[in-house]
Amino acid sequence: MDTGTPATGAFGALLYGLRKRAGLSQEELAHAAGVSVRALSYMERGRSRGPQRRTVQALAEALGLDPEGARELEHTASLGRPRRARTTEAAPAAAGPDPAARTATPDLLPRAPRGFHGREAELAALSRAAAGEAPVCLVVGPAGVGKTALVLHWAHQGRAGFPEGTLYADLRGFGDTGEPALIEVLREFLSALGVPQEGMPESANGAAALFRLLAAERRLLVVLDNARDSEQVRPLLPGGRRCVTVVTSRHRLPGLIVTDSATPVAVDVLGPDDGTMLLARVLGADRVGAEPAAARRLAGLCGGLPLALRVAAARLAQRPDRSLEEMAAELSDETRRLALLDVEDTGVRAALRVTLQQLPAEVSGLFARLGRHPGTYVDRYAAAALADTGPAAAEACLERLAVAHLVTETASGRWTMHDLVRLYARSLDAGPAALTRVLDHYVATALAAMAAAEPGNEDCFPLPADFLPPAAVREFGDRSAAVAWYAAERDELTRAAAAAHAAGLHDRTWRIVLTLWPLMVWRVRDGWVPLLETGLEAARADADAHGEARVLNVLGWVLTEEGRLPEALTHLRAASALASRAGDAVAEANALLVLALAQAALGGLDEAAAGCERAVGLARGAGDRTIERLALQHLARHRADAGRWREALDTADDALALDDAPGTADVPRILLLIVRGEALLGLGDEAEGIGQLDLAAREAESSGNEDAAVRALGALLKAAPTPELQARHDAALTRLTTLA
């Protein structure tokens, strides 16, 4: 029978929604698709793993899906199927959130603004606009007028009205740091709603569809801040009849009013009374009450712009001996006053200049350097690199800037600037090395993360000759910490590479691109090609053959994984030839190993094995035992895939003999044990083969390497399937897909 139970899991949720949209009961869909009602119920409840392709095809036909819809259903189903063991050494794919986190109520709101005052009319208008079914509220007004503060204050005050969570995204439509990709915003929303990493749709359309489906029956608040235009907003609208969406923008967005019945809420500058009260909230009622005329005059000179009022009040708060009249007199300069009233960025710039004059030199110096930061926020380490000081001193300066309302701590340890404040900071003299320092900070931090995430791997590149090492580099206690940092900092690293490229710092550009290699391994199909092409252009502009060969190698591997084999072969052959001409044996060996993967994918196992043999020779000639062992591992794998069992066994034994730390259960050792076990089985030695596969599985499990455990147990299941092995395999797969 049709229980009507909401679906759980990515495939289950999608199937449930499609069935409801088609108006079919479970019995009707099961009959049309030729599956049992129980099987269909299990699929919708998420109790069965991804169904087989033929079942999905039957369901798609029964649902009347078009080709695109059928492909999306098949892709989502494939994410739940057991994965085959990979044949290359790679880190585990990035997985979804902890299961406990999926049950929590999502809350992405930044903290409530401090010192908020007034706006009763706007708050009431926003509450009225939020009433009704599936409302879209459009909060509009000029820059710096306090749209975001208004919405966040309203949202925090009304949390009880959204028991199933709050979502927030800064669309950065008017900043100069670049807008977030649609797919990344949707993935953040889906993650907050409990979708695991392996269940994330690859396309933006698929992610938007899943978001609408999950939000359909929830009482959610969705805040879309700083929207550029209607087109940027529409794919992010939840559509659920119980959802409330609030959009802020400097534009009126008439298209959103026409197509989605958005209700506009206008936000203008503060009137004299509210402006004076805002000053009182910061400075105290007694101080403002002692000079009421000066307070009103000061509010008038600031044009009622909340950002300018807060800056002026912060300066006065730092100088309790200073009168409001003196401050008003200082702001009475006609050029600054008219700029404040008539031109947003120029007016704010004048007010900020006055504030900075009262700050210590080290604080105002950091403020100027923050304008050179290419990302959307800074932490204590990035600030320290910019200021060429230690993290503690940099954090103290950031706190002083926060008190002056020049930066905002949007999350613990993360500070950001208002768009206009950042523009002002960029107009100041920060010295010639500020950008280089922060870029080198990202290089150093990413290398530290790489070392923690991929211990034992060779360095991607030598540091530039003029490298400016930061005073301190973030430490990563373990692999999970490094993985979390990479996932959080991807956009920042991408922006750093873009800033380096725009500034002509080509030697930094390609190095920053290469530091993203671990994340490329974990999320290989995440659209890395354009970034790698930028890195390749930079390496060529830098005339660095080593860098060019390494970028070509990674680019070729990504193209191989994307199935773009002809392009991959072109880049990988170029990488091999370039490394050979440069006399870089290790880079050439690496290129040959990746080239072998592409050749094997095209069915050329003999050609792939020959390339690996050459890589072994190059590594031996260079005295690099790590690359030699890796090359032997790949060679053994290709020989096993070709059924050349004796050669595969001998090659695996040669590689295992190079193990410098035989007690360490690293990925290459486990992969070699798997090849050895398969080869022994192929040669008829069943007992020894199963023993080797069991050893590989246990070493992987004991070391916590879930990806290797899944591979080893999968190979063992083919040889000796038992319920106990199946349970271990399923448990390892579950742990892998729930890793942070």
Side-chain angles (χ1 to χ4, degrees), residues 572-589:
L572 292 168
R573 286 170 178 148
S576 175
L578 189 62
S580 177
R581 289 196 301 271
D584 190 340
V586 173
E588 185 179 0

Side-chain angles (χ1 to χ4, degrees), residues 337-712:
R337 178 168 57 85
L338 290 175
L340 179 62
L341 292 174
D342 297 334
V343 183
E344 294 172 1
D345 60 337
T346 305
V348 172
R349 186 177 294 117
L352 293 173
R353 185 179 302 113
V354 175
T355 304
L356 284 176
Q357 290 171 356
Q358 305 304 315
L359 294 174
E362 66 274 13
V363 178
S364 59
L366 174 60
F367 177 81
R369 292 181 178 92
L370 289 175
R372 300 300 187 272
H373 189 272
T376 57
Y377 71 87
V378 295
D379 59 16
R380 62 203 299 260
Y381 293 98
L386 283 164
D388 193 20
T389 187
E395 187 168 14
C397 290
L398 286 168
E399 293 289 357
R400 290 293 300 274
L401 290 171
V403 169
H405 296 279
L406 297 176
V407 299
T408 302
E409 189 176 9
T410 55
S412 179
R414 289 188 172 193
W415 286 266
T416 189
M417 285 180 163
H418 184 280
D419 295 345
L420 303 176
V421 176
R422 182 181 289 108
L423 285 174
Y424 174 70
R426 288 184 179 176
S427 72
L428 303 176
D429 181 12
L435 177 59
T436 303
R437 287 191 182 281
V438 76
L439 294 175
D440 287 351
H441 147 75
Y442 279 118
V443 170
T445 309
L447 288 175
M450 188 184 302
E454 302 290 340
N457 274 282
E458 61 159 334
D459 291 337
C460 284
F461 46 75
L463 295 173
D466 60 345
F467 183 75
L468 300 174
V473 178
R474 180 188 296 274
E475 295 181 357
F476 300 94
D478 53 25
R479 178 181 177 277
S480 63
V483 171
W485 181 84
Y486 265 115
E489 298 298 317
R490 171 179 176 173
D491 286 348
E492 299 297 292
L493 289 167
T494 301
R495 291 188 184 97
H501 194 52
L505 296 171
H506 303 301
D507 55 347
R508 268 68 177 181
T509 305
W510 65 262
R511 285 176 169 87
I512 292 172
V513 170
L514 282 182
T515 63
L516 280 157
W517 172 78
L519 197 57
M520 294 177 191
V521 171
W522 306 325
R523 301 178 180 177
V524 65
R525 294 183 179 273
D526 250 11
W528 297 104
V529 171
L531 180 64
L532 285 164
E533 288 175 341
T534 297
L536 180 60
E537 181 182 343
R540 287 171 174 167
D542 192 31
D544 191 303
H546 172 88
E548 183 179 351
R550 292 305 173 97
V551 176
L552 279 168
N553 194 32
V554 178
L555 177 57
W557 173 71
V558 169
L559 289 168
T560 299
E561 292 294 315
E562 290 186 355
R564 297 161 62 177
L565 295 176
E567 295 173 76
L569 289 172
T570 298
H571 289 304
L572 292 168
R573 286 170 178 148
S576 175
L578 189 62
S580 177
R581 289 196 301 271
D584 190 340
V586 173
E588 185 179 0
N590 268 319
L592 288 170
L593 294 180
V594 182
L595 178 59
L597 292 177
Q599 292 166 336
L602 290 170
L605 290 174
D606 290 341
E607 189 179 13
C612 290
E613 288 173 348
R614 174 158 172 72
V616 170
L618 287 166
R620 284 175 180 166
D624 193 319
R625 289 169 63 90
T626 300
I627 298 300
E628 181 183 353
R629 181 178 178 226
L630 180 63
L632 286 168
Q633 173 210 315
H634 281 257
L635 179 58
R637 180 73 266 168
H638 292 312
R639 286 175 170 171
D641 288 342
R644 296 158 62 179
W645 303 118
R646 173 53 60 186
E647 294 175 71
L649 180 62
D650 292 343
T651 304
D653 287 340
D654 289 344
L656 288 167
L658 291 173
D659 193 351
D660 292 326
T664 303
D666 63 359
V667 173
R669 171 179 164 80
I670 295 168
L671 294 177
L672 286 164
L673 290 175
I674 294 172
V675 172
R676 198 171 191 280
E678 292 174 343
L680 287 165
L681 289 172
L683 292 169
D685 193 342
E686 183 174 349
E688 183 64 19
I690 290 175
Q692 287 290 287
L693 292 174
D694 183 65
L695 175 61
R698 294 190 184 281
E699 286 194 4
E701 289 172 312
S702 64
S703 65
N705 196 319
E706 308 301 348
D707 186 59
V710 169
R711 300 183 195 190

